[in-house]
Every structure is written in C-alpha cells, then in structure tokens.
Amino acid sequence: MTGYYGCRTSDFETETTERRKIMARINECILYRDFLHGEILEKMAELMNARPEELPAKKTLYYECVNGLVELAGMYGFEGNLWHNYLTLLLVNHENAFSTASEIRGAIQGSINELAMNDFEIFKELYEFDLKVFDQIYGSSCGEILENYKNTESGSKMFNSRIRDRICDMSRTLAQAGSTGEFMADMVQFYKDFGVGKLGLHKAFRVEHDENDQVVIAPITRIAHVKLDDLVGYEIPKKQLIDNTEAFVKGRKANNCLLFGDAGTGKSSSIKGILNQYYDQGLRIIEIYKHQFKDLNDVIAQIKNRNYKFIIYMDDLSFEEFEIEYKYLKAVIEGGLEKKPDNILIYATSNRRHLVRERSSDKLEIMDDDDLHSSDTVQEKLSLVYRFGVRIYFGKPGKKEFQNIVRELAKRYGVNMPEEKLMLEANKWELSHGGMTGRTAQQFIDYLLGLEMNE
C-alpha cells in the first residue's frame, strides 16, 4: 500500500515516528536554545512533527524553510549541504555557559559537560536527517538541491571568506562524527580555535544602538588585510607597538597606547596590522568614536568577562577646548571606582601630541580674565594623555626615507618604471599631494597602477 506521493505507508509512518521523536527532543535542549535565525529550525521541527495526513497542508511551510536556507546561504556565502551549514551556524553563534567557557581554553571540567552532551546528541540526530524525504512527499527536488548547493561568486555579506570556509568545513566534520562524544569534541575544538558567537568569529567591531536604544557591539565584516610588514620603515615605532600588544595578548602587564604624529604616517595602518597579527591569539578590536564615549561603560560590561583580549580603538582622536567628552574617557581609563578589566586596553591615534587643543598662553602660563589658575588648566589638559602609558611617535619621513618607501612599494606592486623617472615623478606628486608621507607614496603608486591598467 502506498501513501502520499508514492511513499510506502509503512515506511512513511516509520519515518514520521522518528521525526516526531526528534521534534520532542529539540524541546529538551538545555544550553542551546533561543537561536538567532532559529525560526527555520522551528518550522523544520513542525514539519518533522507532522502526521502523514497533515503534511499536504504544510507544503507552503516546507517551501518557506527552503527559502530561508537559500537566503541564509546568500547572506553568509554557504554552499554544500545547506541544512548542515545552517545547524553549524546555530552552534558556532550560540553563546551559553558551555560554549563561552570552552572558547580559547578548550575542554573544561564539571557537570556542564553532561548537559552539553545531551544537546549535542539531539543536534547529531538533526544532522542525520535527510532533506530528500520531503522530495518524496512533495514531489520536488529541493532537498537534493539543498544538500548539494552551489553558491554564486558574489561571496558573503556577513562573513569574510575565512569565516565562511571554516563554518562549511565544520559542518562536514560534524556530519561525519561517528558518535556524540566525537561530535562534542569537534565542537569544543572549534570553540578553542576560533571562539564562539560574533566576538569569536569576527576580528573587529563598531558600536551601534538597536531599535530599543541598547548598546550593540556590531561586527565589521570588511577589513583590510594589512600586515605590519606592509608599512615600510618605522621599525622603532612598530617594535614599541608590538612589544606592548604582545605583552597584553600573553596576559602580562601592558599599557594603554597612543600613536601620535604627522598625518599619513601609518598610525591607523599599524593598528590594523596589529589586529591581523594577533587575531589568532585572541585579540579583538572595537572601534569607537568620540560621540560614543558615553557608551563606553556599556561596551566594557559586555566584554569584560570574555576570554578574549580587547583593544578599544579610537582613530584620529583630538578635542577642542569646548568639547568635554575627554573627561568621560579619563574616568573610564583610570579614575573611576571600578577597576578597568585586565582584558581591555585603550589604543588611540592622533595628530596631536596631547590630544586636547593647546594655546600659547597655556605654555607660557599667562593668566587671562577667566582663568585664575592657568597651571591647573594645563594639568587638566595633559591629564588625559598621561593615562596612556605608551606614547609612540610617527613622524614624516625625510626625502631619502620617502624615496625608499616609493621604491619598496613600486617593487611590491610590480610597477615597471626606470628608477630615475620613478623618483622624479614621485617628487612631483608629493609637492601637490600633501608632502612626503607613506600615504602620499601609496597614493602615487596607486596612480601609476591605474595608468598601467588603462594603457
């Protein structure tokens, strides 16, 4: 006897019984609940839980699940088995007592392992579910397509290729796990190697507000893959920055750091290089702007108990006399009652040595009608910069250093031009493009590369 869409009724009823058991067990998850993008799992669970006679009326629900999986694939750049990719996305993004304890440190001891094993047993059953069952029920080929999905070449809107590939690889690893213990060991290793949730999977973040005006740490998905070696010259400043950051990452004492000096000398590029160099050792960067300093306490509250090292990064930081935001920053760095967490440092870049605008009267300590204690005013302005224990100067290169930067960049990018002409054109360029800086040299090389492409 056959049932819906040609399925043997006895086989179909057996499969339905298994699906109902899976559905019941989904509700028994202890640690892994309330997922981001969990609506697809809920809909799939409803399909798995349906009786044979109920399934024809749920055809629309099935296609909603198919649509959801394909849209996620477009958003995150997934390919292969989209059902497995989706389940893996749920697991690697879920921050709970077990996953956050496992990040960076790996396997942990305690009763929580038994609770995690319960949830992983349920998820292992979900990985074993074959979407092609619905092809038989609804007479479609969607299940076959979803299990062998080929994505477009446009890439991911939410993940860079490194994260996307790791999740796709992990989905294949989990699908091949021979036991729940092996499944759990694979997840623990992933958490140890790459972390969990947005803070684990991403390098850099910005501060935003959600629809309820709550402070949100949002991932930055497009980051220039700058290396410190890409910055030609500045060996002493780079060494100072590396020494301080390496001490921080390795759990030793380190200082807040101010990179100051002339514009276009590589201060911001050095910060990007530090991030890329130490990301695999648990370093993360959160970029925050001057007008967001009131959110600093909320940001710190969200990250102070995580197993990562966080640099709160302020680019091109400076204050005019009428701006009082620097007072908030002073209190956060040092001065408040609560001790700054050991896993957080402040790094800033600025064109100003002392961050706050200074006047000649400050230096000469000349009193004016509105200031009875000019020396106190000077100390107030300097008190912020003194909270940065490491201050690194990036100055404009001299002519020989500038020409060396141009020479090295030309070699790196394959610019084919006689050296004498290259130097002549570089000198002409810098005269009308901001002077002799690393930024000017890079812009000059980009200009030459653009000319070559148009020839």
Side-chain angles (χ1 to χ4, degrees):
M1 180 178 178
T2 59
Y4 298 107
Y5 299 100
C7 273
R8 289 177 56 85
T9 303
S10 59
D11 293 342
F12 185 77
E13 288 177 348
T14 300
E15 180 65 35
T16 301
T17 301
E18 291 301 312
R19 292 200 307 275
R20 290 174 63 81
K21 183 171 68 173
I22 291 174
M23 170 58 186
R25 286 174 57 70
I26 287 174
N27 294 327
E28 295 172 5
C29 282
I30 299 168
L31 300 170
Y32 290 84
R33 306 178 69 90
D34 302 322
F35 297 99
L36 177 68
H37 303 308
E39 64 280 359
I40 298 176
L41 182 61
E42 294 174 3
K43 292 176 181 179
M44 285 293 292
E46 183 177 340
L47 288 167
M48 295 176 185
N49 194 43
R51 298 180 182 279
E53 61 272 16
E54 297 172 339
L55 280 167
K58 294 183 181 295
K59 187 173 184 178
T60 300
L61 185 66
Y62 171 63
Y63 285 109
E64 288 177 4
C65 292
V66 173
N67 172 262
L69 291 173
V70 172
E71 288 297 320
L72 279 180
M75 186 183 301
Y76 292 98
F78 294 149
E79 61 180 16
N81 190 315
L82 296 191
W83 173 238
H84 292 168
N85 293 154
Y86 168 67
L87 294 174
T88 305
L89 180 68
L90 298 185
L91 292 173
V92 302
N93 262 326
H94 199 276
E95 298 177 3
N96 56 61
F98 176 80
S99 62
T100 55
S102 300
E103 65 182 5
I104 307 300
R105 291 179 294 182
I108 56 175
Q109 302 298 318
S111 301
I112 197 168
N113 287 290
E114 299 174 41
L115 303 179
M117 186 71 78
N118 168 80
D119 291 7
F120 289 139
E121 182 178 347
I122 295 168
F123 263 84
K124 188 174 185 304
E125 292 175 1
L126 292 172
Y127 274 85
E128 293 169 354
F129 182 79
D130 188 352
L131 291 181
K132 293 192 290 294
V133 167
F134 292 119
D135 287 350
Q136 300 177 44
I137 297 170
Y138 295 120
S140 74
S141 60
C142 289
E144 176 71 28
I145 294 171
L146 292 180
E147 290 185 356
N148 300 277
Y149 192 78
K150 303 296 182 185
N151 213 328
T152 64
E153 297 181 359
S154 59
S156 166
K157 301 181 182 68
M158 301 298 293
F159 286 151
N160 60 42
S161 59
R162 174 185 53 81
I163 299 173
R164 178 201 64 205
D165 292 345
R166 284 174 177 173
I167 291 178
C168 290
D169 290 343
M170 188 60 184
S171 71
R172 289 188 286 270
T173 298
L174 293 174
Q176 295 167 6
S179 65
T180 305
E182 184 181 340
F183 188 102
M184 178 172 169
D186 290 336
M187 278 309 313
V188 168
Q189 189 63 45
F190 185 93
Y191 292 145
K192 181 178 185 296
D193 291 342
F194 309 118
V196 59
K198 63 184 179 184
L199 296 180
L201 297 177
H202 296 272
K203 294 180 179 181
F205 309 85
R206 61 171 59 93
V207 176
E208 298 177 351
H209 283 248
D210 63 16
E211 61 275 8
N212 299 316
D213 202 33
Q214 298 297 307
V215 175
V216 176
I217 300 174
I220 298 173
T221 57
R222 301 289 183 183
I223 304 171
H225 194 67
V226 178
K227 297 180 181 179
L228 283 173
D229 291 341
D230 295 337
L231 184 61
V232 181
Y234 298 98
E235 298 306 319
I236 294 176
K238 288 192 295 185
K239 180 68 164 53
Q240 290 177 281
L241 184 61
I242 289 171
D243 288 346
N244 192 69
T245 306
E246 193 160 303
F248 176 53
V249 169
K250 293 184 176 179
R252 303 196 301 268
K253 290 293 183 181
N255 283 288
N256 300 312
C257 190
L258 172 65
L259 284 63
F260 71 96
D262 299 309
T265 53
K267 300 183 294 294
S268 300
S269 296
S270 295
I271 297 292
K272 295 172 187 174
I274 280 290
L275 171 61
N276 290 319
Q277 183 162 324
Y278 291 100
Y279 162 74
D280 289 338
Q281 298 181 41
L283 183 67
R284 304 292 184 269
I285 285 185
I286 301 174
E287 186 173 32
I288 192 166
Y289 297 100
K290 189 164 50 180
H291 69 277
Q292 298 174 317
F293 284 174
K294 63 182 182 298
D295 298 327
L296 273 170
N297 285 326
D298 287 331
V299 171
I300 291 172
Q302 293 183 42
I303 62 178
K304 64 182 180 180
N305 294 320
R306 297 303 294 269
N307 294 317
Y308 306 104
K309 301 291 185 179
F310 292 94
I311 288 174
I312 296 179
Y313 170 49
M314 303 160 188
D315 189 34
D316 198 19
L317 186 63
S318 66
F319 300 93
E320 300 300 324
E321 286 186 286
F322 59 85
E323 294 178 310
I324 63 170
E325 290 90 343
Y326 75 93
K327 297 179 184 289
Y328 301 125
L329 181 57
K330 283 168 53 180
V332 168
I333 297 178
E334 286 180 31
L337 289 176
E338 185 177 7
K339 177 180 177 291
K340 183 167 64 66
D342 292 334
N343 68 328
I344 298 172
L345 283 183
I346 309 291
Y347 277 24
T349 66
S350 180
N351 295 336
R352 285 180 175 169
R353 178 186 297 270
H354 292 146
L355 297 177
V356 182
R357 182 183 179 185
E358 299 173 276
R359 300 175 300 172
S360 59
S361 58
D362 294 336
K363 294 290 185 183
L364 299 172
E365 297 193 8
I366 299 173
M367 295 175 58
D368 59 37
D369 295 337
D370 298 321
D371 194 348
L372 294 177
H373 302 285
S374 60
S375 62
D376 292 348
T377 301
V378 173
Q379 289 302 313
E380 168 69 13
K381 291 183 176 182
L382 295 180
S383 61
L384 174 59
V385 75
Y386 287 159
R387 282 167 164 77
F388 291 89
V390 173
R391 297 184 287 277
I392 305 174
Y393 175 63
F394 284 72
K396 281 188 178 182
K399 185 171 183 179
K400 288 184 178 180
E401 292 171 311
F402 175 73
Q403 290 181 338
N404 184 57
I405 292 173
V406 171
R407 192 179 295 110
E408 288 297 320
L409 291 176
K411 184 188 302 182
R412 184 176 298 168
Y413 289 97
V415 173
N416 186 20
M417 181 180 289
E419 183 171 326
E420 185 177 346
K421 183 179 180 182
L422 180 68
M423 294 300 106
L424 179 62
E425 294 299 322
N427 291 336
K428 291 179 182 178
W429 179 271
E430 64 90 3
L431 287 174
S432 58
H433 291 82
M436 292 183 288
T437 67
R439 178 184 297 159
T440 302
Q442 182 66 63
Q443 291 171 346
F444 171 63
I445 295 299
D446 290 342
Y447 166 73
L448 294 181
L449 291 172
L451 290 180
E452 288 182 0
M453 292 181 65
N454 291 325
E455 288 178 356

